[in-house]
Amino acid sequence: MFHVILLCWCSWSLMAVFGLESVSVTEGESVTLYMSITEQQRKEGISWKFGANINIDKSLIAEIKSGNNEIKLHKDRPDERFNNRLKLDQTGSLTITNTTITHSGLYQITTSKNKTLLNKTFNITVYTLLSVPVISRDSSKCSSSSNCSVLCSVMNVSHVSLSWYKGNRLLSSISASDLNIRLSLPLEVEYQDNNTYKCVINNPITNLTQHLHITHICQPCSGSLSEDYIIPLSCAAGSLMIVTALLIFCICRKHRKTNQEDPSSEEEITYADPTFYKKQTHKQRCAVEEDVVYAGVMRR
């Protein structure tokens, strides 16, 4: 443990002596480590190395060779993080293009002849590209007519802070240093403060803001109504039933009054008792003669 502390102390002591310059950049941007080496240093040759330990060969990333001023970029590093991303000019200035978070760290320049440090050491910090935070209703909690639970969330972030503000007053904040995590910050808000809340994500070089529109986000939970909703709805239902009953009563009364004033509108019907008669059949009776005289018939 003592050796580790001593090593760190020595490293920072060297940086303090030879100068440490901190550089911050957003992922995807280019960064240039400016140098202005002398003609003698150029003839001796210079080397750019990456990492805290400059005494190992794999830390070498670019150099100007002694004697012929040839610029050589070392692209055969095992992790390939610098492939097609380095530019070195005759002034000794080193440019890193299309940066990623893997390019964060110490960059040191030495002379190739005696391996001594020059007057600059750079500490580069590459921050992830921020995305606008997303505000949504907290589904784990039910919204009432006066309060609403919301969440402010961001994805795949590192070295950022997520904060809720009411106007310019900080309400709560949370930070993250790990990459590829989901960062969420809850808040209980009031409807009467509509459009005064905002969620801010920031790192040391940039920030993004998302404003909360409560009426768009917060709705009462389905299947459950608070007491603030039940009382007005009950009153409205009762009033509707009373109005409907009065309307039916008035219609019936008006119809009855119309019938009494216009008796001719009713048809008079007289009912009579029916009388049934039996149909008589008349039989033809031939009169029977007791004495019958027959006469002869003569043909001519």
Side-chain angles (χ1 to χ4, degrees), residues 192-203:
Q192 63 184 7
D193 294 328
N194 191 20
N195 295 328
T196 62
Y197 295 98
K198 60 184 178 182
C199 182
V200 179
I201 181 174
N202 70 284
N203 57 30

Side-chain angles (χ1 to χ4, degrees), residues 137-199:
R137 186 175 68 85
D138 187 357
S139 58
S140 64
K141 298 181 180 180
C142 189
S143 302
S144 66
S145 60
S146 58
N147 295 335
C148 176
S149 297
V150 294
L151 280 177
C152 182
S153 306
V154 287
M155 294 289 294
N156 300 330
V157 293
S158 64
H159 299 94
V160 300
S161 294
L162 192 64
S163 307
W164 274 111
Y165 287 86
K166 182 179 180 181
N168 294 323
R169 181 167 60 92
L170 178 63
L171 299 178
S172 59
S173 182
I174 189 173
S175 299
S177 57
D178 297 329
L179 184 62
N180 297 327
I181 66 169
R182 175 187 174 92
L183 194 62
S184 297
L185 187 62
L187 181 68
E188 189 82 10
V189 299
E190 298 179 358
Y191 281 104
Q192 63 184 7
D193 294 328
N194 191 20
N195 295 328
T196 62
Y197 295 98
K198 60 184 178 182
C199 182

Side-chain angles (χ1 to χ4, degrees), residues 61-170:
I61 58 175
E63 62 179 327
I64 299 177
K65 286 187 170 295
S66 60
N68 56 9
N69 292 340
E70 178 189 356
I71 295 177
K72 184 177 180 180
L73 305 177
H74 294 263
K75 303 178 181 180
D76 54 351
R77 290 177 59 87
D79 55 13
E80 300 181 348
R81 77 181 73 187
F82 293 105
N83 284 7
N84 302 318
R85 286 186 167 94
L86 295 179
K87 295 179 182 179
L88 180 62
D89 60 25
Q90 292 293 336
T91 67
S93 298
L94 180 69
T95 299
I96 308 170
T97 62
N98 192 21
T99 56
T100 68
I101 59 172
T102 61
H103 296 126
S104 297
L106 292 176
Y107 292 79
Q108 299 171 333
I109 186 171
T110 64
T111 58
S112 300
K113 185 176 181 180
N114 53 17
K115 305 297 183 183
T116 59
L117 284 173
L118 295 179
N119 62 346
K120 277 291 184 70
T121 300
F122 297 87
N123 182 25
I124 295 181
T125 303
V126 181
Y127 293 96
T128 56
L129 186 64
L130 296 183
S131 59
V132 178
V134 177
I135 299 177
S136 60
R137 186 175 68 85
D138 187 357
S139 58
S140 64
K141 298 181 180 180
C142 189
S143 302
S144 66
S145 60
S146 58
N147 295 335
C148 176
S149 297
V150 294
L151 280 177
C152 182
S153 306
V154 287
M155 294 289 294
N156 300 330
V157 293
S158 64
H159 299 94
V160 300
S161 294
L162 192 64
S163 307
W164 274 111
Y165 287 86
K166 182 179 180 181
N168 294 323
R169 181 167 60 92
L170 178 63

